[in-house]
Amino acid sequence: MKPALFLDRDGVINVDHGYVHRVEQFDFMDGIFELCRLARARGYSLFVVTNQAGIGRGYYTEEAFHALTRWMLAEFERHGAPITQVYFCPDHPTHGVGPYRRHSPMRKPGPGMVLKAAQDHGLDLARSVLLGDNLTDIQAGEAAGVGACVRFEPGHVFSPEEHMIGHLSELAHWLPAVPGAPAVPVAA
Ligand SMILES: [Mg+2]
């Protein structure tokens, strides 16, 4: 069983401008590709777990989300850090429209997306790491049994005790090399 690095999207991979759904709005966070290359080199598979209630609220469509995701995944490929799979939850319990208005175990702070990824890919959650910018990300990871759940707040003082980082490069602290990890070139 392999460990994984679970990444929230808005506020971790890209700057959270609020309901980002077009390429022009998507600004990659400083250091995200370097972090993802490092994680892969140390033996971690990469997953994205993202609430996308903007779909449920009717702000943008699932098709728009998928188009943006395809572009994002191509950018990660191009930077030598391919992501294995993206999990998203379009629902919202009170603001969702029509079928999107529901309580979903997939929506963070629920652990559903992380558990689904573990089931789909045979992941070792105890050795896995989750990175998010909201408390609900941390709650989802902890509920799923992810070994290390770390919060990212740009500019925050690095605090291993509080599981807080202020720059993405600092997550390396929680990414020990997995024994027997296939050598993946770090440079790209
Ligand atoms: Mg976020």
Side-chain angles (χ1 to χ4, degrees):
M1 292 210 298
K2 289 185 66 167
L5 171 58
F6 294 99
L7 300 163
D8 174 42
R9 199 195 78 179
D10 301 296
V12 171
I13 291 176
N14 56 288
V15 178
D16 190 356
H17 296 305
Y19 300 106
V20 166
H21 62 283
R22 292 196 305 268
V23 169
E24 313 87 79
Q25 304 168 314
F26 204 95
D27 297 318
F28 282 101
M29 201 67 80
D30 183 42
I32 187 64
F33 297 121
E34 292 83 352
L35 167 63
C36 288
R37 283 199 296 267
L38 177 84
R40 278 181 46 81
R42 292 189 177 177
Y44 297 78
S45 302
L46 304 177
F47 293 90
V48 176
V49 286
T50 176
N51 284 352
Q52 289 293 325
I55 297 169
R57 287 170 178 256
Y59 297 164
Y60 48 94
T61 63
E62 288 204 30
E63 288 69 31
F65 171 77
H66 289 305
L68 178 59
T69 298
R70 281 192 295 275
W71 172 83
M72 180 189 81
L73 291 176
E75 287 298 297
F76 275 95
E77 285 271 355
R78 195 164 71 78
H79 286 85
I83 286 173
T84 300
Q85 196 166 339
V86 174
Y87 292 86
F88 73 104
C89 178
D91 303 318
H92 192 283
T94 54
H95 296 289
V97 176
Y100 292 117
R101 184 165 173 174
R102 59 173 186 149
H103 285 277
S104 171
M106 295 294 167
R107 179 174 164 80
K108 295 177 285 185
M113 289 190 283
V114 174
L115 294 176
K116 180 77 163 60
Q119 191 177 52
D120 291 348
H121 297 273
L123 303 175
D124 182 350
L125 290 179
R127 284 194 300 154
S128 294
V129 177
L130 178 140
L131 181 63
D133 67 322
N134 281 314
L135 182 58
T136 48
D137 300 316
I138 305 307
Q139 290 167 331
E142 289 179 346
V146 173
C149 301
V150 180
R151 196 156 165 194
F152 171 48
E153 189 186 315
H156 195 280
V157 175
F158 176 52
S159 175
E161 308 76 35
E162 295 172 284
H163 283 215
M164 284 283 319
I165 62 170
H167 190 274
L168 291 176
S169 61
E170 293 162 347
L171 192 70
H173 178 84
W174 286 277
L175 296 170
V178 176
V184 177
V186 180

